[in-house]
Amino acid sequence: MFEEAVRRVFSVIWTARAVRARAASTRRARHDATVARFRLRRAAPAGRALLVVLLAGAAGCAWAQRAEPGYPARPIRFIVPLAPGGSVDMMARSVAHALTEAFGQQVVVDNRPGAGGTIAVEIAARAAPDGYTMVMGSSSTFGVNPTLYRRLGYDAIRGFAPVIFVSFAPNALVVHPPLPVRSVKAGKLRALGVTSAKRAPALPDVPSMSEAGFAAVNATSWNGILVPARTERRIVERLNREVQKMLTAAEVRERLVAQGAEPGGGTPEEFARFIRNEITKWGKVVKAAGLRVE
């Protein structure tokens, strides 16, 4: 009986000690957690400040990469949606040559024909807006295609920043010589009129359709330079200035006239308005004709 009582007493004592130990351990854990939270709160502002500094540094690096004070610092790709050898390709190569001389960096013509020019424009639309990709837009890719194609892989308005209107060429309404109509003889065909607002320098004796009483007929084939949207404004303006200089050169004008075209020019804003008007104009034609390309 005595031994049993002793065992019970010691059991109670050890149980009490274990309970006190667990309580002390719990208190220490809570204390440690409180200290940790306090230290974390004290460290958080510094951590946040460090994060802000790091983000600011990263943003600064990204900005510097985009801005590149020495632009251009590497070759520029000039995408042309037609095969080499045609008049548009020749014009693009003239632009590339002029920019290469002005920048001291190579401007490389990249011919990407196919699918009505959409392949080339889609490539340009996906390029980085860093000033190192240009595309030669045309009356088809930025005038007709936006409403002709049901699914187009680029947005002609929001996907690009217009740089400059490069050149345009009127079409001509021609007939076979034996037809008894008043016209201007031009080789094996006779031209009745050109589809521009004024007479073409290459055919000075041929009236415009407006002069012939068809003022609504104004359909020219044109070309202009665009870059991906969000390209820095100063880069757009620099490209505009350099191409503008080229277009005012007498030899360039003579070359264009010999090809039946005329130099363009103007500001990026004027070119942007022109593109919007072209899309609206050709959209009406496409709708009236019931045309649609899947």
Side-chain angles (χ1 to χ4, degrees):
M1 294 290 294
F2 176 77
E3 292 177 357
E4 180 67 21
V6 170
R7 281 196 297 270
R8 289 181 179 178
V9 169
F10 275 101
S11 176
V12 170
I13 291 173
W14 285 111
T15 300
R17 287 180 177 177
V19 169
R20 286 197 298 271
R22 285 197 295 268
S25 176
T26 300
R27 286 194 297 273
R28 282 196 301 272
R30 289 175 179 172
H31 176 266
D32 292 343
T34 300
V35 171
R37 285 195 296 270
F38 176 75
R39 289 175 177 174
L40 183 62
R41 283 196 297 270
R42 291 187 63 185
R48 286 195 295 268
L50 177 60
L51 180 61
V52 169
V53 170
L54 290 174
L55 290 176
C61 291
W63 179 86
Q65 184 179 10
R66 289 195 304 271
E68 290 196 26
Y71 173 86
R74 61 180 189 271
I76 298 172
R77 179 172 61 162
F78 190 7
I79 303 174
V80 178
L82 295 168
S87 60
V88 175
D89 176 70
M90 292 171 62
M91 186 66 214
R93 292 181 187 278
S94 295
V95 170
H97 177 72
L99 292 179
T100 296
E101 289 192 339
F103 292 156
Q105 286 287 345
Q106 191 72 28
V107 178
V108 182
V109 173
D110 183 7
N111 296 93
R112 296 297 185 98
T118 60
I119 293 175
V121 180
E122 287 175 12
I123 293 173
R126 293 193 296 268
D130 54 9
Y132 290 96
T133 300
M134 307 186 302
V135 65
M136 183 69 93
S138 67
S139 49
S140 59
T141 53
F142 284 85
V144 179
N145 287 358
T147 52
L148 178 63
Y149 283 80
R150 190 178 299 276
R151 294 182 182 85
L152 199 59
Y154 61 90
D155 190 315
I157 298 297
R158 291 190 291 270
F160 292 89
V163 174
I164 190 168
F165 184 45
V166 174
S167 64
F168 66 97
N171 300 298
L173 176 63
V174 297
V175 296
H176 195 270
L179 287 178
V181 292
R182 295 182 61 186
S183 62
V184 176
K185 190 173 182 179
K188 294 183 179 181
L189 296 174
R190 290 191 296 177
L192 300 179
V194 292
T195 60
S196 55
K198 59 181 182 179
R199 297 193 178 201
L203 297 171
D205 296 326
V206 179
S208 67
M209 296 300 288
S210 178
E211 291 179 70
F214 300 94
V217 179
N218 186 1
T220 61
S221 298
W222 55 266
N223 295 282
I225 298 172
L226 302 96
V227 293
R230 297 181 302 281
T231 298
E232 285 189 70
R233 175 66 187 184
R234 69 177 187 87
I235 293 177
V236 172
E237 291 176 346
R238 176 84 187 279
L239 291 169
N240 177 278
R241 286 196 303 271
E242 297 301 337
V243 178
Q244 191 88 260
K245 292 177 186 176
M246 186 206 80
L247 294 175
T248 58
E251 62 272 18
V252 172
R253 179 178 177 81
E254 291 172 3
R255 191 184 313 131
L256 285 171
V257 171
Q259 297 172 358
E262 294 184 61
T267 66
E269 290 75 20
E270 289 171 337
F271 188 28
R273 284 194 297 271
F274 176 80
I275 291 174
R276 288 194 295 269
N277 291 338
E278 285 287 285
I279 292 174
T280 300
K281 177 180 72 179
W282 288 112
K284 294 177 182 178
V285 175
V286 169
K287 183 177 180 180
L291 302 174
R292 204 68 168 167
V293 175
E294 295 296 334

